[in-house]
Every structure is written in structure tokens, then in C-alpha cells.
Amino acid sequence: MTMSNSSPIQFAYWVPNVSGGLVISSINQRTHWDHHYNRQLAQTAENVGFDYALTQIRFMAGYGAENQHESVTFSQDLLSVTKQLKVIAALLPGPWNPALAAKQIATISTLYGARIAVNIVSGWFRGEFKAIGESWLDHEERYLRSEEFIRCLQGVWTQPVFNFAGDFYRFRDYALNPKPLEPLPEIFQGGSSRAARDMAARVSDWYFTNGGSVEYIQQQIDDIRAKAQLNHHQVKIGVNGFAIARDSEQEARAVLQDILRHSNVNAVKSFQAEVQNAGNASPEKEGNWAKSTLEDLVQYNDGFKTNLIGTPLQIAQRIIEYKKAGVNLMLLGFLHVQEELEYFGKKVIPLVRQLEHESAL
């Protein structure tokens, strides 16, 4: 049940606030994780047509990310050097509780305007939870906790006095002031499993899913939106993709092969074991990464599967296919982030806008 999708498709990029770039490969990546690089990157993204930046949340080293900046603090820094770009801060229930998160985000909203959003990450890195002394819940419980987390954020931000009695969180006559500015912070969530889709259909503003074919993404969208309609709820869809835009398709494909040829096989296998433990934990074995191959996981959110690889026109046409399937946002990673994001913004986004106009999409 594909919905009418007449608004322009939006674009987000992965903020490299952790080291190691966005592929698990020894190929040279002209990408840096420090705040100087990221401030300039955010300003470039804003100037070339990107709508959102998504910060990453990691608490420990692994799979190339030997250094990690905390997501909420880093998001606030990017907001301080931009004027229109929206920044999505990743929050991990467990290390965060909703009272702290609600107050952090409300304060940032009052400081920088209604440009802060949140991405609720239900958790995939079991070793990370163990290392910081957090309980590791089973797959279904992680999503139940995330749903309560979201309901608490929404309640605290909207109700004068908030009460809640759940399995994971409890509030009694709690009043948050000041509240975030209107419009309220958008709530994103990730996932591909049935539990993730069901949660999105009940409470989330946005649903992020790993890369996949148009047909695979279409199936998820149809399922989410049918369930959301029954819940009198609306949810938008974002899809992860790793973009390799070059002047010729041959050149772009050669870059992909170079990334794969230099992949860190041991690190990818270790990552595969970790994430497929999470993905296969869903009852239907359909969670994120459940069916990802070793090559897929060189880009750790299945970005190659989206096939945004080729000339600017080829990539723009591919993006339009996803839009026709009901996708509202493309979340993008790049090899050399600063220069390739700028190239994408100048070469691909204008073609997408032209194709949208020609197709009256």
C-alpha cells in the first residue's frame, strides 16, 4: 500500500564522530573524526542540500572505531556552527534513561532552535553492554524497552505533568520545564525486524532500515504503513545507502571493488558474528543484518545493497525508484566524506530534484 509521496525526498549523512570511517577496510579514507573536520563537514552539507546529519553512538572500541565522541554533545556542537541543518543524536536505552534524555534534548532545543532530533538505538553490540555493566535484554525486550523510552520522551515533552508505569520506566507527577521548542524533536528509530516495524507503526516519527533492494524495502514499508494506519499513526521511512558517485560507472564500480579487496576480513567476521547474533535473535530471523553476507558487512549498515553506485544520473534514477516505493529519506555514507558529500550535493541532488519535477513526484 504505497502512499503518495509528493514531498521532496530528503537527505541525511552519517556523521563520522567515531574513527575508522564508514567501511571496515584498510583502503585509504580521507575522513576524520575530530570536531574541526566535522564542523566544516556540517557546514558543507547544509550548503549543498542535505537536510539531516546523524551522529553515531558507541561506548567502546571495535571494528575500526578506536575513538568515539559522545553523540548528544557532538550533535550540539554541530548545531552551533550551522543554521538550518537538523542533527539527529543517537540515544541508547540502558546507558540513557528517558528523564535525562528528555531534559538534554529540551535544553538543546531551546539553545539552538527546533533542529535537534533523536535516533533511538535498541542495541546490537552485546559486548559493549557487558563492558559498561548494562543488562543485555533479549531481542523482543530491547524493542519493548525502546518503545517505553519513546513514550516517556513524548509524554514528558507534551504533558504538563507526566505519569507512567511501565516494565522498564516509571514517572510520578513529573513536570519538565522548559519543554523543547515546537515543532517537537522528531523521533527516529532503527531496525528491520517485525518488532522494529511494529514499534515504528505505534510510536516513531521515522523508521530507519539498513540498505536493501527496492523490493525488500517496499515490503517493509507496506507492512509498517498498514499497521500504522490501524493505529491512526503516520511514520516516515529512511533507508541507508553507501554512495559512490563518479563521472563513469566503471570508475565507481572500481572503487567498490577496491574497498572490498582491502576489507579487514577478520574484523568483518567479528562484526558479522556480533550483529547477526542480534539480527537472528528476532523470532522470525529477520532483524538487521540477519541475512547479510561478508561483503555486505564491509559497509556495516548494508549500504552497498542499496546500489547507489555509478554516475550522478544513475544514482539519482535509483533514488527515485526508492521514492516511488515510499521512501522519504536517504541516509548516506561515503568513502572520503567531505569531498564526496560535496560532490553528491552538487551533482546528484539537483538531478533528483529535476527528476522529481519531471515525474511530478
Side-chain angles (χ1 to χ4, degrees):
M1 54 167 299
T2 303
M3 296 176 63
S4 174
N5 201 8
S6 58
S7 298
I9 195 166
Q10 295 182 287
F11 294 94
Y13 73 94
W14 284 98
V15 174
N17 60 300
V18 304
S19 62
L22 292 171
V23 291
I24 307 174
S25 174
S26 62
I27 191 172
N28 177 46
Q29 298 184 66
R30 294 187 291 276
T31 295
H32 304 284
W33 57 278
D34 64 86
H35 68 286
H36 298 293
Y37 178 89
N38 272 288
R39 285 177 173 180
Q40 183 180 9
L41 177 61
Q43 292 170 335
T44 298
E46 180 174 68
N47 290 335
V48 299
F50 279 77
D51 304 281
Y52 295 89
L54 173 64
T55 57
Q56 304 175 59
I57 183 61
R58 290 284 291 275
F59 280 92
M60 62 180 285
Y63 319 115
E66 301 307 309
N67 300 282
Q68 319 93 33
H69 287 300
E70 189 275 314
S71 57
V72 175
T73 310
F74 211 78
S75 296
Q76 182 175 349
D77 188 64
L78 299 184
L79 288 168
S80 74
V81 297
T82 54
K83 296 179 180 179
Q84 296 177 319
L85 187 72
K86 297 177 183 178
V87 183
I88 310 165
L91 299 174
L92 186 58
W96 267 276
N97 70 44
L100 172 61
K103 198 154 189 77
Q104 282 181 302
I105 300 304
T107 297
I108 294 172
S109 175
T110 60
L111 290 174
Y112 296 105
R115 295 191 291 129
I116 184 71
V118 296
N119 181 39
I120 308 305
V121 181
S122 294
W124 59 267
F125 196 171
R126 183 174 184 174
E128 184 175 61
F129 274 66
K130 181 179 179 180
I132 62 176
E134 286 288 340
S135 299
W136 179 250
L137 306 178
D138 70 25
H139 183 273
E140 301 297 285
E141 287 182 311
R142 292 200 300 276
Y143 280 97
L144 290 173
R145 178 170 66 178
S146 290
E147 181 168 341
E148 283 194 11
F149 193 100
I150 291 171
R151 290 187 185 278
C152 289
L153 289 182
Q154 292 168 333
V156 168
W157 286 339
T158 59
Q159 297 179 26
V161 178
F162 181 61
N163 287 278
F164 185 84
D167 293 325
F168 302 95
Y169 304 110
R170 290 178 179 268
F171 285 81
R172 180 175 297 171
D173 297 333
Y174 178 64
L176 173 70
N177 291 297
K179 297 190 184 300
L181 300 180
E182 298 279 353
L184 292 176
E186 295 173 292
I187 296 178
F188 292 73
Q189 64 149 102
S192 292
S193 66
R194 189 265 317 148
R197 297 194 301 273
D198 288 355
M199 184 176 92
R202 288 190 292 264
V203 296
S204 301
D205 300 313
W206 286 87
Y207 171 85
F208 271 143
T209 188
N210 276 3
S213 67
V214 174
E215 295 74 21
Y216 173 70
I217 301 300
Q218 177 81 72
Q219 291 172 5
Q220 292 192 55
I221 292 173
D222 288 348
D223 181 56
I224 291 168
R225 289 190 167 147
K227 291 172 178 174
Q229 188 174 33
L230 293 175
N231 295 326
H232 307 289
H233 182 63
Q234 291 186 335
V235 59
K236 296 179 181 179
I237 309 297
V239 174
N240 184 70
F242 191 83
I244 305 176
R246 297 294 188 272
D247 292 338
S248 71
E249 182 180 8
Q250 182 179 14
E251 183 183 0
R253 294 289 169 187
V255 172
L256 173 61
Q257 292 307 311
D258 207 21
I259 293 170
L260 296 175
R261 187 164 53 250
H262 289 89
S263 63
N264 184 335
V265 175
N266 289 334
V268 175
K269 285 182 177 179
S270 179
F271 177 73
Q272 183 179 43
E274 189 74 51
V275 297
Q276 291 192 336
N277 169 65
N280 281 316
S282 63
E284 71 285 357
K285 311 294 184 186
E286 289 287 347
N288 273 352
W289 305 289
K291 297 181 180 179
S292 302
T293 68
L294 204 65
E295 283 194 349
D296 293 330
L297 293 174
V298 174
Q299 202 294 303
Y300 44 78
N301 287 99
D302 284 339
F304 299 148
K305 287 183 178 181
T306 312
N307 194 26
L308 302 182
I309 300 164
T311 66
L313 180 57
Q314 288 173 319
I315 293 173
Q317 291 169 333
R318 180 73 169 168
I319 289 170
I320 292 296
E321 291 179 19
Y322 281 98
K323 183 177 181 181
K324 289 179 179 178
V327 172
N328 304 100
L329 180 146
M330 300 302 301
L331 171 60
L332 301 173
F334 303 93
L335 182 62
H336 310 302
V337 179
Q338 171 78 359
E339 58 206 72
E340 295 195 28
L341 178 148
E342 184 172 13
Y343 182 90
F344 188 97
K346 290 181 176 180
K347 298 289 187 178
V348 179
I349 293 179
L351 289 173
V352 172
R353 300 296 178 232
Q354 180 183 333
L355 292 172
E356 286 176 321
H357 177 73
E358 291 174 356
S359 303
L361 282 173

